[in-house]
Amino acid sequence: EAGVVQSPRYKIIEKKQPVAFWCNPISGHNTLYWYRQNLGQGPELLIRYENEEAVDDSQLPKDRFSAERLKGVDSTLKIQPAELGDSAVYLCASSLAPAGNHRQYFGPGTRLTVL
Amino acid sequence: DAKTTQPNSMESNEEEPVHLPCNHSTISGTDYIHWYRQLPSQGPEYVIHGLTSNVNNRMASLAIAEDRKSSTLILHRATLRDAAVYYCILRDSGGGSEKLVFGKGMKLTVNP
């Protein structure tokens, strides 16, 4: 089966520019997650979707970050405007269900560099 | 989510077994113990999980202490491809903790 697909793999932008990341989860997975991973740290959750509904966005910086998951499948994470501190790897993951005994499948991530 | 404690790093030799420890003294009765690993330039990858009993799969074994306050991930024959950062994570099976709370993890180096 195809894994979680993310694009682009790399993005370099100047500060104050907008940027968007795209994720296609594994077919049939209702739960989708966006994580941010800073250098040398573990991933941190930004937002979690159950189908089309964002059920946990408490860690999403809402002044500049937005996300959507149309039709409960693909998802887009946007930053506008980007800041230097946004440089990180943005990971998308999906799971069949949110329960604690279900594994999460991660995509390869998008490495963002803000100059 | 309850916290876990892992060494910052470990080294092993190729084709030898390696035991990766994890302490989770504040684990609750409904917490699953999950292990993920992250190879360089890749997203995290599921390794194994368990609740109370020891678990085996094609990648590794998970040994859980009787009091569940610690666990050990066992790679039976380390290969160079096992060099990665390993994360030990607790997840509540009762819901409410659907996210994975990653720490810094433990970097495993495998020497040829």
Side-chain angles (χ1 to χ4, degrees), chain B residues 3-97:
Chain B
K3 289 186 177 180
T4 63
T5 304
Q6 301 175 255
N8 289 331
S9 62
M10 285 185 66
E11 280 194 39
S12 67
N13 296 319
E14 197 175 11
E15 298 188 4
E16 292 184 358
V18 58
H19 292 221
L20 311 179
C22 181
N23 288 320
H24 28 77
S25 59
T26 58
I27 190 171
S28 74
T30 55
D31 282 336
Y32 277 86
I33 302 161
H34 283 249
W35 284 82
Y36 281 73
R37 72 181 185 182
Q38 188 170 21
L39 280 64
S41 300
Q42 295 188 26
E45 171 188 36
Y46 168 83
V47 178
I48 200 167
H49 77 277
L51 186 61
T52 57
S53 303
N54 294 344
V55 184
N56 299 295
N57 65 22
R58 64 176 180 81
M59 291 181 69
S61 296
L62 178 60
I64 302 173
E66 196 169 333
D67 63 5
R68 301 208 326 126
K69 294 184 183 298
S70 66
S71 61
T72 302
L73 179 70
I74 302 166
L75 306 178
H76 296 286
R77 287 185 73 224
T79 69
L80 296 179
R81 289 193 71 255
D82 292 322
V85 176
Y86 286 78
Y87 297 96
C88 172
I89 302 165
L90 300 182
R91 293 190 71 194
D92 184 3
S93 64
S97 293

Side-chain angles (χ1 to χ4, degrees), chain A residues 78-95:
Chain A
K78 298 179 181 178
I79 308 175
Q80 183 171 8
E83 297 179 351
L84 294 177
D86 296 330
S87 295
V89 175
Y90 291 83
L91 293 159
C92 179
S94 69
S95 66

Side-chain angles (χ1 to χ4, degrees), chain A:
Chain A
E1 87 190 347
V4 176
V5 179
Q6 291 188 247
S7 70
R9 288 295 313 276
Y10 304 91
K11 190 73 176 180
I12 301 174
I13 61 172
E14 294 188 346
K15 63 181 180 181
K16 301 185 181 179
Q17 294 300 305
V19 64
F21 315 121
W22 175 80
C23 173
N24 179 242
I26 292 174
S27 178
H29 282 195
N30 296 324
T31 309
L32 184 145
Y33 311 78
W34 282 102
Y35 290 85
R36 177 170 60 187
Q37 185 171 24
N38 292 313
L39 191 64
Q41 304 294 316
E44 296 177 311
L45 181 73
L46 291 174
I47 190 168
R48 174 172 66 92
Y49 281 92
E50 292 299 330
N51 298 305
E52 297 150 341
E53 182 182 0
V55 296
D56 183 358
D57 63 356
S58 58
Q59 301 302 311
L60 191 71
K62 298 180 183 63
D63 57 337
R64 297 183 299 106
F65 285 65
S66 64
E68 61 181 9
R69 190 183 184 196
L70 299 176
K71 301 182 180 179
V73 181
D74 294 0
S75 177
T76 303
L77 178 68
K78 298 179 181 178
I79 308 175
Q80 183 171 8
E83 297 179 351
L84 294 177
D86 296 330
S87 295
V89 175
Y90 291 83
L91 293 159
C92 179
S94 69
S95 66
L96 195 58
N101 60 338
H102 282 270
R103 58 182 287 190
Q104 291 186 16
Y105 296 77
F106 284 81
T110 296
R111 181 177 296 277
L112 174 67
T113 301
V114 182
L115 303 176

